Amino acid sequence: MELSPPPSGLEAEYEALFTSDSLHFLHDLVSTFDKEVDEVLWLRVSRKAHSDLSGELPDFPESSTHKRGAPDWRVKPVPPRLQRRHVDIGDLAPCDTERFIKALQTPAQGIQVDFDDGNCPTYHNQIKGIHNVMKAVLNQLPNVPHISQGPVLMLRPRAWNMVENNLMVEGKKVPGPLFDFGLLMFHCGNTLFENKSGPFFYLSKVESSMEARLWNKIFVWTQQKLGLPLGSIKATVLIENILAAFEMEEILYELRDHSAGLNCGIWDYSASFVNKFGHRRDFLLPDRSKYVNMEKRFLRSYMDLLVQTCHRVGALATGGMAALLLPQSKDSDSYRRVLATVTRLKLLEIKAGVDGFMVYDLSLVEPMQKLFRLHTQGDNQLHQLRWDVRVTADDLLSMPSGGVTLHGLKHNIAVGVLFINAWLSGRGHFFYKGQVEDSATAEISRSQVWQWVRHQARLEEDNRVVSRRLVNDLSVELMVELRPVCHSDRAKQTLRTAADMFLEVVYKRDFPEFITTYLSEDHTFLSSQRSGQAEVPERARL
């Protein structure tokens, strides 16, 4: 094994995490599953190539047709602390110690402890974040409830597409999720289990039941290695990919001893259509700011199918995250307007039968818990079996009608550039126009710009073509608009670099599958880590 030295200022945390025993555990974990992780990624490439060459579209697997609709199995029931999880706090990067402590002090049922979408995986952030989780589990953080009493920690390691740049095992960089999962389990797994509070996980960007099977094998191996009973680990799979939507039941089956259910969101899932079919004009996704929401056929069908599939086998179904931020003044019209918007959208999910969802703003926890109490009874909605739902492949693959607006194009460029800017500054999310933005919104933003340029879409307002020149001109306008919030020459240079990188991504001939993979392996990001630029997260609202 080759492990990079500690980041400046984290020597004590480094020593606490990377003990001789934990390194042996990580080595064994990576050595055991590294080849299968590669196979998962190769299969993704193979499936994409087959789809592109054949023109075939996904469908429900024929091999499990006889089980679908009337399964003869159930997932193993979740422990008591997971049975009532109406409101989780989402996108919480645990390297942000202050926000982590504040979240632990709320009445939320859970916290999505995020090493993925809302987190920038610098070496500093990974070590600080995992160490903060360890301190929370060992009750070493100030003024927070005991781990058995506070919100449950739903630990979200990185997805399969990410690697850890600072650890090599037998000559290869290790898969990011194994690095995160291994350290979290080694240092926290037994204590969480003893306190009946875990270990619980979110699994990001799973694309098939084969990938769920691999996670299940990792869980079984880890439990045996750490002396935990089979089924101790529980995991919620985020269905963030159109291919996974056709294998929900199969994914639950593979994880039946370890399942905490499935989760549906909007932006990563919508972006996956561009990822898989974006070169086909009949999958042109219209302006998301105007034409894409959970009430559209392809998204409503996906949510209904997820709820039905989960509840039919006794698994919990959770909805997406409310990204809107409440204004500080409760007496203002803007506060009432934002709260009404979040309430309307989340009530749609509750009526669809979800058992819980996420919010980013801590001030939304109690209003959304009250919404659940008003419109549901009991700990969850597992009794809502949704026999009324009949979802076909056409339902899932039906693109909403609509065009492209100048506002939507500008907004997508801004979100994409500002996300890269945040990433280069060591942050995985940022605030823009009243809501939190993370890698999920960055994915849909850059995906749409790439697709609109590729298919020469036209603006609704004046019929202009979305061209390279137009995107370039709008990015220059954005630089002028944002210049006043850049308070140093270094900040201005980082923003210019971010804009250049965004343009490079959206003009690629072949669609880069994940913006986070592209960024984490880019020389600019790696060199910024080495120079220390990405070590101190800064927070600002734009």
Side-chain angles (χ1 to χ4, degrees):
M1 298 181 76
E2 293 183 69
L3 180 67
S4 298
S8 177
L10 290 184
E11 291 80 7
E13 291 87 343
Y14 179 96
E15 292 297 326
L17 290 185
F18 298 112
T19 64
S20 176
D21 287 344
S22 72
L23 287 173
H24 276 103
F25 178 80
L26 270 181
H27 180 277
D28 290 349
L29 175 67
V30 173
S31 299
T32 302
F33 294 105
D34 187 67
K35 183 179 178 182
E36 290 182 73
V37 173
D38 283 343
E39 289 172 356
V40 158
L41 299 175
W42 295 335
L43 180 62
R44 287 182 178 182
V45 173
S46 175
R47 291 180 77 183
K48 179 69 166 64
H50 175 76
S51 173
D52 290 349
L53 290 169
S54 68
E56 291 179 8
L57 292 173
D59 204 344
F60 298 102
E62 291 184 10
S63 59
S64 52
T65 300
H66 64 288
K67 284 188 174 182
R68 197 172 298 109
D72 56 0
W73 59 276
R74 294 288 184 274
V75 299
K76 188 175 180 179
V78 295
R81 295 215 69 201
L82 289 184
Q83 289 174 10
R84 183 185 181 92
R85 233 177 72 239
H86 290 165
V87 181
D88 280 359
I89 296 164
D91 261 19
L92 199 152
C95 58
D96 186 342
T97 308
E98 181 183 354
R99 178 168 167 81
F100 189 35
I101 289 174
K102 285 182 179 178
L104 287 165
Q105 294 169 339
T106 71
Q109 278 90 16
I111 299 172
Q112 183 194 62
V113 183
D114 195 3
F115 292 92
D116 193 52
D117 275 7
N119 174 66
C120 179
T122 65
Y123 199 28
H124 178 281
N125 288 352
Q126 297 308 101
I127 290 175
K128 184 69 173 177
I130 294 171
H131 190 260
N132 275 346
V133 173
M134 183 175 156
K135 289 174 71 176
V137 171
L138 297 176
N139 302 298
Q140 294 174 353
L141 291 176
N143 304 315
V144 299
H146 189 273
I147 192 63
S148 63
Q149 302 299 317
V152 294
L153 304 181
M154 303 297 297
L155 307 169
R156 184 184 187 184
R158 282 169 283 184
W160 291 128
N161 58 293
M162 301 295 285
V163 298
E164 173 51 56
N165 290 305
N166 295 283
L167 177 63
M168 299 186 75
V169 170
E170 298 178 15
K172 289 174 63 180
K173 291 181 181 179
V174 307
L178 294 186
F179 178 90
D180 302 340
F181 172 81
L183 286 173
L184 289 165
M185 279 301 300
F186 183 85
H187 290 291
C188 305
N190 279 283
T191 303
L192 286 168
F193 180 75
E194 289 164 4
N195 285 280
K196 300 180 180 179
S197 300
F200 305 140
F201 289 88
Y202 271 111
L203 303 180
S204 297
K205 299 173 180 61
V206 170
E207 293 192 10
S208 69
S209 57
M210 174 190 168
E211 297 183 19
R213 187 181 310 146
L214 173 56
W215 269 116
N216 197 71
K217 289 172 69 174
I218 291 168
F219 293 164
V220 171
W221 181 92
T222 301
Q223 288 163 156
Q224 291 173 342
K225 201 80 171 174
L226 297 179
L228 288 166
L230 181 69
S232 303
I233 296 172
K234 296 296 181 186
T236 299
V237 175
L238 292 97
I239 303 297
E240 300 173 294
N241 190 281
I242 177 58
L243 301 183
F246 287 94
E247 298 186 40
M248 292 185 198
E249 188 167 313
E250 292 78 5
I251 288 168
L252 286 170
Y253 181 79
E254 294 295 343
L255 286 161
R256 58 196 179 277
D257 289 332
H258 299 102
S259 179
L262 303 179
N263 169 276
C264 65
I266 182 171
W267 296 131
D268 268 321
Y269 183 75
S270 297
S272 76
F273 282 79
V274 183
N275 186 330
K276 301 305 180 185
F277 317 121
H279 60 291
R280 309 185 196 189
R281 192 169 187 87
D282 50 339
F283 280 94
L284 187 64
L285 193 65
D287 190 336
R288 71 182 179 99
S289 62
K290 185 175 181 180
Y291 297 111
V292 181
N293 56 60
M294 290 303 292
E295 293 168 293
K296 299 300 180 183
R297 177 184 169 193
F298 83 115
L299 290 172
R300 182 59 192 251
S301 299
Y302 149 67
M303 180 168 62
D304 286 344
L305 179 62
L306 185 142
V307 171
Q308 183 196 59
T309 303
C310 284
H311 289 181
R312 204 168 53 216
V313 298
L316 297 172
T318 51
M321 186 182 74
L324 287 171
L325 304 169
L326 286 172
Q328 291 187 347
S329 174
K330 292 185 178 182
D331 296 326
S332 65
D333 289 339
S334 58
Y335 182 96
R336 287 187 286 271
R337 187 167 58 251
V338 170
L339 185 57
T341 299
V342 175
T343 298
R344 183 182 69 81
L345 294 173
K346 289 306 169 188
L347 188 56
L348 180 75
E349 295 183 17
I350 290 173
K351 289 183 176 179
V354 302
D355 302 292
F357 48 64
M358 289 175 280
V359 300
Y360 179 84
D361 193 329
L362 305 187
S363 300
L364 281 168
V365 171
E366 293 188 71
M368 292 303 103
Q369 287 178 328
K370 181 179 179 181
L371 192 68
F372 260 100
R373 289 194 298 270
L374 285 172
H375 295 278
T376 67
Q377 293 182 339
D379 290 341
N380 50 61
Q381 298 200 82
L382 282 171
H383 59 283
Q384 298 282 0
L385 298 178
R386 297 302 310 272
W387 293 116
D388 59 306
V389 171
R390 297 288 185 274
V391 173
T392 66
D394 285 343
D395 291 326
L396 293 175
L397 296 169
S398 173
M399 289 290 92
S401 59
V404 179
T405 69
L406 180 61
H407 167 78
L409 178 58
K410 285 182 174 180
H411 187 75
N412 279 342
I413 293 171
V415 170
V417 170
L418 289 171
F419 174 75
I420 297 174
N421 181 69
W423 189 274
L424 294 176
S425 305
R427 292 174 282 118
H429 61 277
F430 63 98
F431 306 111
Y432 184 63
K433 295 189 182 294
Q435 66 182 42
V436 64
E437 308 281 359
D438 61 10
S439 74
T441 49
E443 283 288 11
I444 187 60
S445 296
R446 64 97 185 188
S447 297
Q448 289 212 296
V449 177
W450 180 91
Q451 192 184 37
W452 294 343
V453 171
R454 168 62 59 94
H455 294 295
Q456 298 180 296
R458 291 184 178 273
L459 297 179
E460 290 181 343
E461 293 90 344
D462 54 21
N463 210 37
R464 275 187 293 172
V465 171
V466 181
S467 64
R468 178 174 182 145
R469 174 176 291 181
L470 177 59
V471 173
N472 281 351
D473 290 346
L474 294 177
S475 70
V476 171
E477 288 182 19
L478 177 68
M479 293 300 101
V480 174
E481 177 189 333
L482 295 177
R483 194 170 293 153
V485 301
C486 296
H487 301 300
S488 67
D489 290 340
R490 177 170 153 184
K492 292 174 184 175
Q493 180 56 50
T494 300
L495 186 63
R496 284 193 294 269
T497 300
D500 290 343
M501 292 175 72
F502 175 79
L503 294 175
E504 182 179 306
V505 170
V506 298
Y507 297 150
K508 287 281 187 183
R509 177 178 176 86
D510 297 312
F511 184 80
E513 189 173 16
F514 295 103
I515 192 170
T516 48
T517 304
Y518 179 84
L519 294 176
S520 69
E521 297 180 7
D522 180 84
H523 172 75
T524 305
F525 175 67
L526 296 176
S527 62
S528 72
Q529 287 198 70
R530 286 192 292 272
S531 66
Q533 292 180 26
E535 287 189 1
V536 183
E538 299 173 1
R539 298 167 65 84
R541 294 194 183 201
L542 301 171

